[in-house]
Each structure stands twice: as C-alpha cells, then as structure tokens.
Amino acid sequence: MRLDKFLGTTLGITRKEAGKILKDRMVEVNGEVVRNGSVQVSDDCDVEFNGRSLSLQGPHYYVLNKPQGFVFTLMISTSKSLCCLMKLAENACCWSFRW
C-alpha cells in the first residue's frame, strides 16, 4: 500500500493532507524520515507520525439489542427508528459511532 494512502486510512485524512505531512518531515518508516507518498509500506513496516506508531485496524462492529418500542427500517417514519436509537446510544456512551 502506498504511504499516503496508509496515512489517509489510519489518520482519517485525505491523501493531499498526507502529502503535506510528508513534506513537513513528520513521518518515519522503519526509523527513516520519508517525504515521498509513493513509498510502499507493508504490514511489517514500522510507521510513526510525530513519534506515535500507526497501524491498520480492521472494521469496527457494534452490536445493539433492539429496545422494546423501536422499529428497524430504512424508510423515514414517524415511529422510533434506528436513527433515534443511534442518537440515544451516542448520548449514553463516551464514544461516538461512525457510519
């Protein structure tokens, strides 16, 4: 995988922003400062951004039990739906959901 794509995926930024970070010499691959986004990185490469180690993570899955009275539908309805439940869960938890 290209380094700029890796940075975009792990940091949640665009490849253009990743290019700016690389030009500012803020990224090291295996202990060496890298300024070129086309460098190929693999799973065994040690990538650091501002001294913080980066690694790819798999997808995140959230399991919710459907409370009584909620309707699960993709259609917009007047009854309580998935969107309402997600807003309740966001307010009840200290972490946020990403779609």
Side-chain angles (χ1 to χ4, degrees), residues 44-86:
D44 59 338
C45 290
D46 181 34
V47 181
E48 291 186 5
F49 169 66
N50 278 345
R52 189 178 97 209
S53 183
L54 301 176
S55 63
L56 286 176
Q57 296 181 358
H60 294 231
Y61 298 97
Y62 300 99
V63 179
L64 302 173
N65 291 320
K66 183 182 87 62
Q68 195 170 13
F70 280 82
V71 177
F72 281 83
T73 178
L74 297 176
M75 308 284 284
I76 297 175
S77 64
T78 56
S79 63
K80 296 177 183 176
S81 65
L82 175 62
C83 293
C84 297
L85 179 61
M86 296 302 282

Side-chain angles (χ1 to χ4, degrees), residues 5-64:
K5 180 169 175 53
F6 177 85
L7 292 172
T9 302
T10 56
L11 297 175
I13 59 175
T14 64
R15 287 174 68 174
K16 186 175 181 179
E17 293 170 329
K20 290 178 184 176
I21 289 172
L22 289 167
K23 288 185 180 181
D24 291 339
R25 298 177 180 253
M26 301 171 77
V27 178
E28 293 181 9
V29 177
N30 296 329
E32 296 181 21
V33 175
V34 177
R35 297 184 66 191
N36 187 358
S38 65
V39 170
Q40 294 290 323
V41 294
S42 60
D43 293 338
D44 59 338
C45 290
D46 181 34
V47 181
E48 291 186 5
F49 169 66
N50 278 345
R52 189 178 97 209
S53 183
L54 301 176
S55 63
L56 286 176
Q57 296 181 358
H60 294 231
Y61 298 97
Y62 300 99
V63 179
L64 302 173

